[in-house]
């Protein structure tokens, strides 16, 4: 936090300014800054000023927070919060709320972090501190990021940047520019992101801040790697290592090595990837952030798979999945805990309200006399209890429905994860085959695409607004793009989607998705031999009470298509079986290349717009 105005003129002011100076030194060399911060703590304690002691603990916590060492972060932020709470100066409440919101974020309680950040924003307005308000907005953006609400994240980050645009601490502003550029990249605004990176680089080139330069090279490298400028991204990662070594920032060096290992895996240099990962592991000692560990373990798994060491690959894949489950389970447990607290609070309020009402009734009885009044009171009490019972019964039903909805989503989530593991195992198995043209390789690839088609269904159900229906527009587009990636034909074949806004239940969507998977796969495998380019068109529309699916291509057609001698016609049999399951019929239609139409009547109650 900034040095509070209420300290001006006191003996503690020089100490507070020195702590602020140490925060700036974290941009230069983190080890030197940490040593100075630790040396300052006894001096702060001797002042017996709780706000200053809290500020000293928070300054030390900054090192562990930035380096992903969560246990030490929790301990130190807890200490700073307790001292802030004991202080009476106006800025103390905002400082305490910042520590609480950051702690909630570290503990993956992002809904709680968002709520506290909103309280922090009001506290900052109360003391008219604009920099404090910007930090509150930034925390809100982080809470939205971890809940996958990227547009809300960018909106609050933009509010923070608008406040800090004239911030005198240009290095602090440059650090936020880097993060803001990545939030813009996350929502597809790459031109704006590139401009923010360039603005940050312009500031840092005028200052000596190797830690921030390492941060810039890391995220700018990720940005250009995502833009398919792999060579430039790789160069940025290597340059970033030099700055990470100069500043002593272990987390940046570990992340830079991780990204270089990922690129080495993509290039088939798996031994090189293992060497980089060994160096990363040495740098990552003590880091306990499950998100970082999950990314690290996925890259290690890919490297061992590329070396055909499938036992090690599967071991690290299991570790990564365990960390993924820990993250998602923590989020789920935290949401349940928050709902339980809210429920218990409501129950206490109801009991208090009931007791107040009973006291009022008793007082009213003392002031009334006569059997007629007693009868009226008895009737009123009976009606009240009946309505209250009905209301509680309705609330209980709503709670049970909510629990059922949550459990169904969790089942879809777990099924999707299990299908993803099966897909990964099929991919690992196919890498061990000698030829990509072998029957076994094609069978594994086709099986993997079918597993991915079913996995996409469960992913849409888990992420959708409802847990039992699926938007076919979004699902079929994702399925088509996935198949283009699987068969590496996205540079030669384009898929055109003509799909009405139709929503189907899971029992209809799964066989329909597998039918589309088989038809697109058939076109990609046989319609465009050699370097032939072409178009696949997918249509899904209503026709009276029926739904009509059409998949056509402008390829060589059935007569000229290459027939594989090892073909089993399994796809054709599967297509007929799935069409029968939908009470429909598949037939070939006349077109430029090859086309199939499936017409079926959906069950009662669907589809919906």
């Amino acid at each position: 936090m900034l040095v509070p105005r209420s300290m001006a003129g006191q003996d503690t002011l020089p100490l507070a300014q020195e702590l602020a100076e140490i925060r700036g030194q974290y941009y230069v060399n983190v080890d030197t800054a940490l040593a100075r911060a630790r040396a300052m703590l006894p001096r702060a304690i001797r002042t017996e000023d709780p706000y200053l002691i809290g500020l000293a603990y928070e300054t030390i916590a900054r090192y562990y927070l930035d380096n992903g060492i969560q246990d030490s972060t929790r301990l130190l932020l807890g200490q700073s919060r307790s001292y802030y709470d004991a202080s009476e100066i106006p800025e103390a409440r905002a400082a305490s709320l910042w520590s609480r919101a950051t702690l909630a974020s570290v503990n993956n309680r992002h809904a709680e972090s968002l709520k506290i950040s909103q309280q922090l924003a009001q506290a900052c307005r109360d003391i008219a501190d604009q920099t404090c308000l910007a930090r509150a907005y930034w925390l809100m953006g982080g809470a939205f990021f971890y809940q996958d609400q990227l547009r809300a994240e960018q909106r609050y980050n933009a509010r923070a940047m608008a406040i800090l645009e004239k911030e005198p601490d240009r290095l602090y502003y440059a650090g936020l520019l880097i993060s803001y550029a990545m939030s813009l990249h996350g929502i597809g605004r790459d031109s704006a992101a590139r401009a923010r990176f360039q603005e940050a680089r312009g500031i840092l080139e005028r200052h000596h801040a190797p830690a921030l330069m390492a941060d810039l090279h890391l995220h700018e490298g990720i940005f250009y790697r995502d833009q398919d400028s792999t060579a430039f991204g790789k160069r940025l990662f290597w340059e970033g290592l030099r700055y990470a070594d100069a500043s002593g920032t272990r987390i940046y060096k570990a992340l830079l090595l991780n990204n270089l290992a990922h690129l080495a895996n993509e290039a088939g240099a798996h031994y090189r990837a293992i060497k980089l990962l060994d160096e990363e592991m040495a740098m990552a000692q003590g880091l306990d952030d499950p998100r970082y560990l999950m990314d690290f373990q996925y890259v290690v798994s890919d490297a061992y798979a590329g070396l055909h060491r499938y036992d090690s690959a599967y071991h690290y894949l299991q570790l990564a999945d365990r960390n993924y489950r820990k993250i998602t389970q923590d989020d789920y447990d935290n949401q349940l805990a928050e709902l339980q607290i809210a429920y218990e609070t409501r129950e206490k309020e109801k009991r208090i309200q009931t007791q107040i009402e009973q006291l009022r009734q008793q007082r009213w009885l003392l002031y009334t006399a006569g059997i007629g009044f007693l009868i009226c009171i008895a009737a009123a009490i009976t009606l009240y209890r009946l309505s209250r019972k009905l209301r509680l019964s309705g609330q209980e039903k709503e709670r049970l429905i909510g629990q059922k909805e949550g459990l169904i989503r969790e089942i879809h989530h777990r099924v999707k994860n299990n299908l993803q593991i099966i897909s990964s195992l099929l991919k690992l198995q196919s890498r061990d085959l000698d030829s990509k043209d072998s029957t076994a390789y094609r069978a594994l690839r086709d099986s993997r695409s079918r597993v991915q088609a079913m996995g996409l269904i469960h992913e849409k159900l888990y992420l959708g607004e409802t847990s039992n229906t699926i938007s076919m527009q979004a699902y079929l587009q994702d399925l088509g793009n996935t198949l283009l990636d699987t068969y590496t034909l996205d540079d030669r074949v384009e898929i055109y989607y003509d799909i009405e806004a139709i929503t189907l239940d899971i029992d209809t969507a799964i066989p329909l998705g597998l039918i589309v998977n088989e038809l697109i796969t058939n076109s990609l495998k046989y319609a465009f031999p050699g370097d032939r380019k072409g178009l696949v068109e997918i249509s899904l529309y209503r026709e009276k009470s029926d739904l009509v699916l059409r998949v056509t291509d402008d390829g060589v057609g059935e007569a000229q298509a290459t027939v594989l001698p090892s073909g089993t016609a399994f796809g054709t049999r599967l297509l007929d079986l799935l069409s029968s399951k939908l009470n429909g019929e598949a037939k070939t239609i006349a077109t430029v290349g090859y086309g199939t139409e499936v017409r079926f009547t959906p069950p009662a109650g669907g589809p919906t717009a």
Side-chain angles (χ1 to χ4, degrees):
M1 303 296 286
L2 294 178
V3 177
R5 291 186 295 273
S6 52
M7 279 189 176
Q10 299 181 15
D11 293 339
T12 54
L13 182 59
L15 196 58
Q17 291 173 335
E18 192 170 347
L19 284 169
E21 180 188 337
I22 292 173
R23 289 163 177 268
Q25 194 166 14
Y26 276 120
Y27 301 134
V28 180
N29 188 285
V30 294
D31 294 328
T32 303
L34 178 62
R36 287 187 61 192
R38 285 174 171 169
M40 291 288 291
L41 181 59
R43 291 174 54 193
I45 293 173
R46 285 196 294 272
T47 67
E48 299 182 357
D49 183 329
Y51 183 88
L52 197 60
I53 298 171
L55 196 62
Y57 274 113
E58 183 190 320
T59 304
I60 300 173
R62 163 76 181 277
Y63 169 85
Y64 296 99
L65 178 64
D66 290 350
N67 280 279
I69 305 174
Q70 295 189 342
D71 284 342
S72 298
T73 301
R74 294 185 185 100
L75 176 64
L76 291 163
L77 285 180
Q79 290 278 22
S80 69
R81 175 193 167 187
S82 64
Y83 280 104
Y84 286 144
D85 288 342
S87 177
E88 296 180 356
I89 69 171
E91 291 82 1
R93 181 170 181 273
S96 175
L97 287 169
W98 182 88
S99 296
R100 287 176 55 198
T102 305
L103 270 172
S105 179
V106 170
N107 291 325
N108 288 324
R109 298 198 303 268
H110 304 299
E112 179 184 341
S113 177
L114 178 60
K115 182 178 179 180
I116 298 171
S117 299
Q118 291 168 344
Q119 298 172 10
L120 171 60
Q122 185 56 52
C124 295
R125 294 187 190 99
D126 292 341
I127 60 176
D129 189 332
Q130 289 296 300
T131 302
C132 169
L133 181 61
R135 294 182 79 186
Y137 285 147
W138 200 263
L139 279 171
M140 291 181 204
F144 282 119
F145 170 79
Y146 286 114
Q147 296 179 77
D148 292 325
Q149 299 184 44
L150 300 184
R151 294 197 177 277
E153 175 215 8
Q154 186 273 329
R155 188 165 59 250
Y156 278 96
N157 285 355
R159 291 185 183 181
M161 298 305 296
I163 294 173
L164 295 172
E165 200 164 9
K166 297 182 180 178
E167 166 67 36
D169 185 350
R170 302 311 290 165
L171 290 180
Y172 176 60
Y173 177 65
L176 295 185
L177 274 174
I178 298 168
S179 298
Y180 184 48
M182 291 304 292
S183 71
L184 290 167
H185 174 51
I187 61 172
R189 294 179 56 188
D190 292 333
S191 295
R194 190 178 292 106
R196 292 298 187 177
F197 278 128
Q198 291 172 352
E199 185 180 355
R201 182 176 291 275
I203 294 172
L204 295 179
E205 286 176 350
R206 296 192 296 270
H207 297 81
H208 178 61
L212 283 177
M213 287 297 281
D215 186 21
L216 174 65
H217 281 74
L218 169 66
H219 290 97
E220 201 173 11
I222 293 171
F223 172 80
Y224 282 104
R225 182 198 65 194
D226 293 347
Q227 299 293 307
D228 294 329
S229 298
T230 305
F232 186 54
K234 182 178 180 180
R235 193 181 79 189
L236 287 168
F237 291 145
W238 281 112
E239 291 176 359
L241 286 175
R242 178 165 54 88
Y243 289 109
D245 287 334
S247 62
T249 47
R250 293 191 300 148
I251 184 65
Y252 290 148
K253 185 168 184 178
L255 291 170
L256 287 161
L257 289 167
N258 187 271
N259 279 278
L260 286 168
H262 175 72
L263 292 178
N265 277 334
E266 289 187 340
H270 302 295
Y271 283 109
R272 177 62 176 161
I274 291 294
K275 183 177 180 181
L276 290 165
L277 291 165
D278 286 341
E279 186 178 357
E280 178 185 356
M281 188 176 297
M283 294 302 304
Q285 293 296 325
L287 303 186
D288 52 2
D289 185 338
R291 285 183 172 80
Y292 164 74
L293 293 175
M294 178 183 69
D295 290 340
F296 169 75
Q297 288 152 358
Y298 275 134
V299 177
V300 177
S301 175
D302 283 345
Y304 280 123
L307 296 174
H308 308 296
R309 293 173 58 180
Y310 298 120
D311 53 345
S312 298
Y314 183 64
H315 169 71
Y316 278 99
L317 190 64
Q318 285 183 311
L319 292 177
D321 185 62
R322 194 176 304 159
N323 275 306
Y324 175 78
R325 290 175 183 271
K326 181 179 185 302
I327 294 168
T328 55
Q329 187 61 44
D330 283 348
D331 290 341
Y332 182 69
D333 291 343
N334 290 330
Q335 290 173 7
L336 286 180
E338 290 167 5
L339 289 173
Q340 182 67 23
I341 291 170
Y343 174 76
E344 292 175 356
T345 301
R346 284 196 299 270
E347 289 300 305
K348 289 179 181 177
E349 290 174 351
K350 290 175 184 176
R351 287 197 294 270
I352 292 170
Q353 187 63 35
T354 302
Q355 292 170 359
I356 292 172
E357 187 64 27
Q358 289 173 347
L359 288 172
R360 288 175 179 172
Q361 292 173 359
Q362 292 171 3
R363 189 178 299 114
W364 191 69
L365 284 172
L366 292 174
Y367 290 113
T368 59
I371 297 175
F373 285 107
L374 290 174
I375 293 173
C376 292
I377 292 171
I381 292 173
T382 302
L383 289 173
Y384 169 77
R385 288 178 176 173
L386 179 60
S387 64
R388 181 173 178 272
K389 184 176 181 180
L390 291 172
R391 185 170 66 253
L392 290 175
S393 175
Q395 291 173 347
E396 179 67 11
K397 289 179 180 178
E398 290 178 1
R399 184 181 68 81
L400 291 174
I401 290 171
Q403 284 184 344
K404 180 182 177 182
E405 188 78 6
L407 289 172
I408 292 173
R409 289 184 185 277
E410 180 64 15
I411 289 170
H412 287 310
H413 177 56
R414 293 183 183 275
V415 171
K416 185 264 292 183
N417 282 348
N418 290 335
L419 289 173
Q420 182 60 45
I421 291 174
I422 294 171
S423 176
S424 298
L425 289 173
L426 291 172
K427 182 179 180 182
L428 290 173
Q429 187 67 46
S430 65
R431 289 180 178 176
D432 202 31
L433 298 174
D434 294 333
S435 172
K436 291 190 177 181
D437 293 325
S438 66
T439 303
Y441 180 88
R442 289 193 298 272
L444 287 174
R445 183 180 60 185
D446 292 348
S447 298
R448 183 168 171 245
S449 72
R450 292 169 186 137
V451 169
Q452 288 175 331
M454 292 186 289
L456 272 175
I457 290 278
H458 291 281
E459 181 178 8
K460 294 295 181 185
L461 288 169
Y462 172 64
L463 297 175
E465 294 181 359
T466 63
S467 61
N468 58 357
T469 59
I470 302 159
S471 168
M472 298 307 293
Q473 276 186 330
Y475 168 64
L476 293 180
Q477 288 184 14
D478 287 348
L479 177 59
N481 293 334
T482 300
L483 288 169
L484 282 178
D485 290 339
T486 300
Y487 288 89
T488 61
L489 291 174
D490 49 341
D491 59 336
R492 292 197 290 113
V493 179
E494 183 180 354
I495 298 181
Y496 174 75
Y497 304 92
D498 183 15
I499 302 168
E500 289 187 8
I502 295 173
T503 300
L504 298 177
D505 61 73
I506 185 173
D507 292 333
T508 306
I510 286 181
L512 185 62
L514 288 172
I515 288 173
V516 173
N517 181 79
E518 293 302 317
L519 294 175
I520 297 176
T521 298
N522 186 65
S523 293
L524 296 179
K525 288 168 62 176
Y526 303 111
F528 310 104
D531 294 327
R532 183 186 180 100
K533 297 184 179 181
L535 176 72
V536 177
E537 181 175 355
I538 306 171
S539 303
L540 180 65
Y541 56 92
R542 299 176 183 82
E543 191 169 288
K544 296 183 180 179
S545 62
D546 291 344
L547 286 182
V548 180
L549 169 70
R550 293 169 63 101
V551 179
T552 63
D553 62 64
D554 61 357
V556 297
E558 186 177 16
Q560 300 181 46
T562 302
V563 179
L564 298 175
S566 58
T568 63
F570 175 77
T572 303
R573 296 200 302 275
L574 180 61
L575 179 61
D576 291 336
L577 179 65
L578 292 170
S579 299
S580 299
K581 182 175 177 61
L582 292 174
N583 295 321
E585 180 183 17
K587 65 179 182 179
T588 304
I589 58 176
T591 184
V592 175
Y594 187 79
T596 303
E597 179 184 281
V598 179
R599 181 183 297 269
F600 64 96
T601 303
T608 61

